[in-house]
């Protein structure tokens, strides 16, 4: 008995020497699936979503629009500035103050308020060239744009004056003529004198007996005290300065 070697115990006999452990069938299937697919991953627990951002309030300025239009022609040296304020929903916002600044020139007015359409306007006056304009609101909105100021065109040259027309020569002034007419009478009575002439300014009379007279009318009278033959003369001048003279000889009879 002592010299006899023990024979190895059969494997089946060894397997039954330890108590068998019970494995759930589902766990076996899960392990087999992981081995077949090449591994398994485990999802992390779901985290709660962050709270949604609040919706913007209507009527709160959200957009600032800025438009610049340079003046041309006689409006050179200027530019029109137009702004518009909108809320997040595209609706105009009224009574919003907008400050305007520029890199050159002056803006009038430099602070504007939007109307019920959300709009406001101003005028820039500057030297020709590029000018940067900035619009900003008290709520923090800002917008910048560049405008090219146009030069004022030079004034057109004054028209060349036309030469003065050559005056037409006046027709020659005809000479003044006069004819002395006498209605002779008798001594001691009135003798009448008249003129056949154009309009006169003055007449100077000489009656031949030493008597003279000056009138503005083309007629006069004179009384001779002594009968005889007399020569009377007259010199007239008209409104143009022309003069003429005439004389007449006549007889005064006795009464």
């Amino acid at each position: 008995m002592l010299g006899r070697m023990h024979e190895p115990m059969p494997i089946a006999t060894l397997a039954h020497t330890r108590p068998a452990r019970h494995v759930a069938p589902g766990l076996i299937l899960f392990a087999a699936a992981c081995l077949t697919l090449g591994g398994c991953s485990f999802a992390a627990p779901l985290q709660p979503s962050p709270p949604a951002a609040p919706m913007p309030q209507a009527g709160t300025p959200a957009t600032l629009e800025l438009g610049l239009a340079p003046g041309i022609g006689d409006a050179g040296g200027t530019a029109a500035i137009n702004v518009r304020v909108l809320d997040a929903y595209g609706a105009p916002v009224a009574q919003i103050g907008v400050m305007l600044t520029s890199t050159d020139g002056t803006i009038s007015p430099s602070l504007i308020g939007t109307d019920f359409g959300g709009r406001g306007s101003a005028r820039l006056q500057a030297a020709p060239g590029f000018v940067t304009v900035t619009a900003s609101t008290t709520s923090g909105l800002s917008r910048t744009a560049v405008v090219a100021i146009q030069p004022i065109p030079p004034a057109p040259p004054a028209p060349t004056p036309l030469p003065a027309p050559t005056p037409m020569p006046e027709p020659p002034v005809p000479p003044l003529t006069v004819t002395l007419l006498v209605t002779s009478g008798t001594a001691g009575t009135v003798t009448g004198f008249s003129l056949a002439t154009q309009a006169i300014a003055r007449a100077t009379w000489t009656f031949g007996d030493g008597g003279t007279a000056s009138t503005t009318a083309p007629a006069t009278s004179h009384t001779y005290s002594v009968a005889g033959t007399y020569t009377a003369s007259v010199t007239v001048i008209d409104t143009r300065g022309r003069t003429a003279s005439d004389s007449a000889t006549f007889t005064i009879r006795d009464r």
Side-chain angles (χ1 to χ4, degrees):
M1 292 292 293
L2 294 174
R4 187 176 178 182
M5 295 183 63
H6 295 282
E7 295 181 358
M9 185 180 293
I11 295 176
T13 304
L14 292 176
H16 288 282
T17 60
R18 295 180 181 181
R21 295 182 181 179
H22 178 73
V23 179
L27 181 58
I28 296 175
L29 293 176
F30 175 78
C34 289
L35 293 174
T36 304
L37 296 176
C40 294
S41 61
F42 297 90
L46 295 176
Q47 298 295 327
S49 300
M55 297 293 290
Q57 184 178 0
T60 300
T63 302
L64 173 60
E65 298 176 349
L66 172 62
L68 305 175
I72 59 176
D74 292 339
T78 65
I81 304 174
N82 297 288
V83 300
R84 192 181 187 195
V85 179
L86 306 173
D87 66 10
Y89 305 99
V93 184
Q95 299 180 348
I96 298 299
V98 180
M99 177 69 71
L100 299 171
T101 59
S102 62
T103 56
D104 188 24
T106 56
I107 298 176
S108 179
S110 58
L111 177 62
I112 58 178
T114 57
D115 58 16
F116 288 105
R119 293 182 172 88
S121 61
R123 181 183 178 90
L124 168 66
Q125 187 168 3
F130 292 97
V131 178
T132 301
V133 177
T134 300
S136 56
T137 67
T138 55
S139 61
L141 298 177
S142 181
R143 183 61 62 90
T144 298
V146 178
V147 63
I149 301 297
Q150 302 299 308
I152 301 175
T160 303
L162 297 175
T166 304
M168 296 295 294
E170 295 186 1
V173 179
L176 179 65
T177 61
V178 63
T179 300
L180 176 59
L181 303 175
V182 181
T183 303
S184 59
T186 58
T189 61
V190 175
T191 297
F193 299 87
S194 61
L195 302 175
T197 184
Q198 295 90 350
I200 63 170
R202 185 177 70 253
T204 301
W205 309 83
T206 300
F207 300 113
D209 64 349
T212 59
S214 180
T215 65
T216 57
T220 190
S221 61
H222 183 68
T223 299
Y224 293 91
S225 58
V226 180
T229 301
Y230 298 92
T231 299
S233 63
V234 65
T235 298
V236 298
I237 184 171
D238 67 3
T239 55
R240 296 184 181 182
R242 296 177 301 174
T243 61
S245 299
D246 193 27
S247 62
T249 301
F250 52 91
T251 300
I252 300 298
R253 301 182 305 276
D254 275 330
R255 290 184 286 180

